[in-house]
Amino acid sequence: FACHKSTLPFKISAIFGTKKRTDVLPKRNFFVRIPYQPQYTQSSKRGYIREVTSLNNTNTNDSPSTMTRKGYEKLMAELVELRSTGRAEISRQLEEARSFGDLSENAEYAAAKEEQAKLETRISRLEFQLSNAKILDSSSIDASRVTLGTTVTIQDIINSQKFSYTIVGSEESDPKASKISSSSPVGQALLNKTVGDEVHVKVPRGVRHLRVMDISILS
């Protein structure tokens, strides 16, 4: 599994959106950890490389990555957990799998290595995101218009339903928790709008006609 100077094209979709970007980056940048993991299976190597390439295209819409203090602390807590408890658990699984005998035909060992590859990929992603993070200063947010860090209440003009969304950076995007990325279709349409403004947003189900009802600052 040698490193080459050839290039590796890839595509990645924006979080909570459909925007795509294609880049060509040097393959040699992606092989930092693999030489020190000689027991990786071929499939886990491929999976590791495929996922780690996305690190070089993380958060292309707001770089350095902008996030709230709560979002930063949440990701940092996850990183600490994975570095300690996560790695310790993988080591335990690998040690147990080694006790089953021949590693070349050891399904438990191969499965543990796959999990190790996923764990290290997630750790690398978090390290990248946090090292490039810019903490949002809530005191500098202009609550008169929709910006990163504001919570906006909108009304669907067709059915009169109201929704509230917090506009965040792509790393914090969590639609189920009503946190949407500023680079998503809805987020982009709402940015810089003021109370009373109306927008049309193209979504998978069609086009939504929305009116901005209220803007507040994320607490």
Side-chain angles (χ1 to χ4, degrees):
F1 189 74
C3 298
H4 300 286
K5 294 184 178 180
S6 58
T7 56
L8 178 66
F10 68 95
K11 295 183 178 180
I12 181 170
S13 298
I15 299 176
F16 194 53
T18 58
K19 186 176 180 180
K20 297 183 178 180
R21 178 186 174 196
T22 301
D23 283 312
V24 177
L25 297 172
K27 186 183 292 186
R28 61 180 179 274
N29 290 344
F30 308 147
F31 297 154
V32 176
R33 293 182 181 276
I34 291 178
Y36 302 97
Q37 302 289 346
Q39 298 301 327
Y40 271 116
T41 62
Q42 287 300 315
S43 60
S44 65
K45 286 179 181 177
R46 289 192 296 269
Y48 181 85
I49 297 169
R50 184 173 57 253
E51 294 185 40
V52 171
T53 56
S54 65
L55 296 179
N56 292 270
N57 195 35
T58 299
N59 203 54
T60 58
N61 294 284
D62 41 17
S63 183
S65 56
T66 305
M67 61 181 70
T68 63
R69 171 64 63 181
K70 287 184 178 180
Y72 180 89
E73 292 175 350
K74 181 179 179 180
L75 293 181
M76 181 60 74
E78 180 185 355
L79 177 59
V80 171
E81 177 73 12
L82 293 180
R83 281 174 170 173
S84 55
T85 305
R87 280 174 170 165
E89 174 59 21
I90 289 295
S91 295
R92 184 195 65 77
Q93 293 178 15
L94 288 171
E95 190 62 30
E96 181 179 354
R98 288 190 185 95
S99 67
F100 296 149
D102 185 6
L103 299 183
S104 63
E105 297 182 3
N106 190 326
E108 289 80 5
Y109 186 78
K113 294 306 295 185
E114 293 284 353
E115 289 303 312
Q116 185 185 47
K118 293 178 182 179
L119 174 70
E120 293 301 326
T121 296
R122 180 57 180 167
I123 288 174
S124 294
R125 179 180 294 276
L126 289 172
E127 290 174 340
F128 180 87
Q129 291 174 338
L130 293 172
S131 65
N132 288 277
K134 178 182 178 181
I135 307 301
L136 187 65
D137 181 5
S138 59
S139 65
S140 66
I141 298 176
D142 179 6
S144 66
R145 60 184 63 252
V146 180
T147 60
L148 202 68
T150 58
T151 297
V152 55
T153 300
I154 55 178
Q155 181 181 44
D156 190 309
I157 295 177
I158 303 301
N159 57 31
S160 298
Q161 287 186 317
K162 291 184 179 180
F163 309 89
S164 290
Y165 295 113
T166 298
I167 310 299
V168 296
S170 56
E171 286 82 4
E172 295 181 76
S173 178
D174 184 1
K176 292 182 179 180
S178 297
K179 294 182 178 181
I180 61 175
S181 170
S182 59
S183 61
S184 69
V186 175
Q188 287 184 328
L190 292 173
L191 282 180
N192 296 315
K193 296 300 185 290
T194 60
V195 174
D197 286 349
E198 297 181 5
V199 298
H200 291 81
V201 185
K202 187 175 182 180
V203 295
R205 295 181 181 179
V207 178
R208 297 182 65 182
H209 190 186
L210 308 173
R211 179 184 293 119
V212 178
M213 306 297 293
D214 182 67
I215 303 171
S216 59
I217 298 176
L218 178 67
S219 58

